[in-house]
Amino acid sequence: MKAAVLHEVNQPLEIQEVQISKPGPREVLVRTVAAGICHSDLHFQNGSYPYPLPAILGHESAGIVEEVGSSVNYVKKGDHVITCLSAFCGHCEYCLTGHMSLCQEPELLRKEGEESRLMQNAKPIAQFLNLSSFAEQMLVHEHAITKVRDDMPLDRAALIGCGVTTGVGAVIHTAAVEPGSTVAVIGCGGVGLSCINGAEIAGASRIIAIDTVASKLELARKFGATDVVNAKDSDAVEAVRELTQGGVHYSFEAIGLKATTEQAFKMIRAGGCATVIGMIPVCTMVEVHGPEFLREKKLQGSNMGSNRFRVDMPRFVDFYLSGKLHLDDMISSHISLEDVNAGLQQLETGEVARNVIMFE
Ligand SMILES: NC(=O)c1ccc[n+]([C@@H]2O[C@H](COP(=O)([O-])OP(=O)(O)OC[C@H]3O[C@@H](n4cnc5c(N)ncnc54)[C@H](O)[C@@H]3O)[C@@H](O)[C@H]2O)c1
Ligand SMILES: [Zn+2]
Ligand SMILES: [Zn+2]
């Protein structure tokens, strides 16, 4: 099959022929229909997060089941599925206490000595975050997919695979925003726009979108932003404090920078909570003003929207189909696998929300 392989950090992905194994007892072979390009793919391509190479990137996808392993009865050939990198074992402490997105059980991967799921010229290729979606097929553990309704368009469904689950989940699960509260979101990419949309669904009274790209702020309004702040023209912290008489109840950092993380903490009111979603480069330290903890301000991280994705994703599908999730506006363009490098590069400028690779 054809896949986009990263051989070396900071080099373009190469579209190449690779081999994929047969499903083991608990594995599912999925034909990839659509894969979104998330900024996390770029963080791994440019080495700000290390990963074993060669690897096939991509982790935001939807497709159709082609073949299932001997012990799989959750899905069958022909089922439509969304993938999720938060593969869960179902029996560790994290899983059993409802924090499935923190599960790290190695049993979800093939064991050492077994044939690799992905190979090229008889050498193993690393599977990226349990998935490797920039490929015509994916061979995944059955706990890395959820079934969805057949009437859900699979390009929109792919977005739910990471960005939407991350953004909406950070709002409704990690931060648990209550109706009537005020929210600020820094960064309006696929993840930030999903936070804004999630805050609207949660019933936030005021949703302040912050970005440095004017077109993104216009887009943010379509997702539910009530106010916008261009951080290129004004101080985001001051602007938010002014708009809310002292700060928001909840802020979300959806970029992955030290400076904007510190802003997220500064723009919450006493008792407020700042949630960091962005992948801050490894080795980066974040500084906050210690005495502010006496005002019960909170700073927390969010991984994949603290999801329970087999429950969440079908609900997000229903939200889209009933007009509550604005996924049509999130797709900047549909591209082919051959254009993956241009798609990744466009994330550098902040101009796009999501480029979606369509297969076939
Ligand atoms: N925690 C998780 O589980 C998780 C999951 C998915 C993605 N992420 C991370 O979330 C972050 C956002 O991902 P994305 O795909 O939405 O990215 P993106 O590139 O699509 O969007 C980033 C946005 O931030 C804006 N921006 C950049 N610098 C800014 C600044 N200084 N001030 C204000 N706005 C600025 C850009 O214009 C752009 O609109 C990334 O770091 C990604 O790796 C984390
Ligand atoms: Zn992602
Ligand atoms: Zn587990």
Side-chain angles (χ1 to χ4, degrees):
M1 66 161 177
K2 217 167 43 169
V5 188
L6 179 67
H7 287 277
E8 240 183 280
V9 157
N10 258 324
Q11 294 300 310
L13 310 188
E14 293 181 42
I15 311 302
Q16 295 177 327
E17 216 30 62
V18 302
Q19 292 78 49
I20 191 159
S21 183
K22 287 262 168 213
R26 302 204 59 193
E27 292 175 344
V28 178
L29 182 68
V30 177
R31 177 164 64 79
T32 317
V33 172
I37 304 180
C38 168
H39 206 115
S40 304
D41 294 307
L42 188 60
H43 289 311
F44 286 96
Q45 187 203 11
N46 66 25
S48 57
Y49 275 77
Y51 206 81
L53 298 179
I56 298 169
L57 298 187
H59 63 278
E60 182 178 272
S61 50
I64 299 174
V65 172
E66 271 196 349
E67 199 182 327
V68 301
S70 54
S71 306
V72 175
N73 49 27
Y74 171 66
V75 284
K76 58 179 187 318
K77 185 174 165 43
D79 282 346
H80 290 200
V81 294
I82 301 178
T83 61
C84 186
L85 66 88
S86 309
F88 59 92
C89 75
H91 57 73
C92 73
E93 181 181 326
Y94 293 117
C95 286
L96 293 175
T97 54
H99 301 97
M100 297 152 78
S101 67
L102 300 177
C103 177
Q104 294 272 338
E105 281 299 304
E107 69 183 49
L108 299 157
L109 307 169
R110 283 196 173 178
K111 291 186 188 52
E112 222 161 290
E114 277 184 276
E115 182 187 66
S116 171
R117 285 180 184 152
L118 299 164
M119 308 272 282
Q120 189 177 41
N121 307 324
K123 292 202 185 94
I125 298 187
Q127 185 171 39
F128 184 57
L129 308 176
N130 297 310
L131 301 174
S132 282
S133 307
F134 296 161
E136 291 174 317
Q137 292 178 318
M138 297 172 281
L139 181 60
V140 300
H141 191 279
E142 63 169 322
H143 284 180
I145 51 172
T146 182
K147 259 186 299 202
V148 290
R149 318 164 34 167
D150 286 355
D151 57 344
M152 177 66 183
L154 288 170
D155 58 342
R156 272 74 170 157
L159 305 175
I160 294 175
C162 177
V164 171
T165 292
T166 297
V168 177
V171 170
I172 65 175
H173 295 319
T174 319
V177 167
E178 322 86 77
S181 51
T182 53
V183 170
V185 178
I186 315 177
C188 301
V191 174
L193 292 169
S194 299
C195 284
I196 292 167
N197 205 155
E200 187 187 50
I201 290 170
S205 61
R206 203 132 187 212
I207 305 169
I208 306 167
I210 302 158
D211 205 290
T212 45
V213 175
S215 60
K216 280 306 200 33
L217 295 172
E218 281 320 301
L219 193 56
R221 288 191 192 274
K222 291 193 185 171
F223 285 79
T226 57
D227 301 85
V228 299
V229 173
N230 191 326
K232 225 165 51 184
D233 309 331
S234 49
D235 181 311
V237 175
E238 266 172 36
V240 167
R241 283 188 184 152
E242 207 171 291
L243 283 164
T244 54
Q245 287 89 48
V248 282
H249 295 98
Y250 297 96
S251 67
F252 295 88
E253 199 279 354
I255 306 167
L257 297 173
K258 169 183 165 72
T260 44
T261 297
E262 292 168 0
Q263 285 172 3
F265 187 69
K266 285 183 189 151
M267 63 176 63
I268 50 174
R269 64 178 58 216
C273 181
T275 302
V276 181
I277 306 167
M279 291 178 63
I280 300 170
V282 283
C283 302
T284 301
M285 306 300 282
V286 168
E287 287 171 273
V288 294
H289 185 222
E292 291 185 53
F293 289 116
L294 289 171
R295 303 288 290 150
E296 298 197 351
K297 293 189 180 183
K298 300 161 197 77
L299 179 62
Q300 65 176 355
S302 179
N303 183 268
M304 290 297 291
S306 310
N307 72 75
R308 315 85 33 102
F309 73 87
R310 281 198 179 169
V311 175
D312 296 324
M313 289 185 176
R315 289 184 183 172
F316 296 159
V317 165
D318 289 342
F319 277 160
Y320 168 72
L321 292 171
S322 62
K324 294 191 181 75
L325 261 180
H326 312 302
L327 304 184
D328 299 345
D329 292 317
M330 195 176 284
I331 299 181
S332 309
S333 56
H334 293 98
I335 63 173
S336 67
L337 184 63
E338 282 70 19
D339 294 328
V340 64
N341 290 300
L344 279 162
Q345 222 156 32
Q346 280 184 343
L347 287 171
E348 305 266 21
T349 65
E351 298 284 342
V352 296
R354 273 294 190 265
N355 284 316
V356 179
I357 298 169
M358 298 303 292
F359 290 83
E360 288 166 326

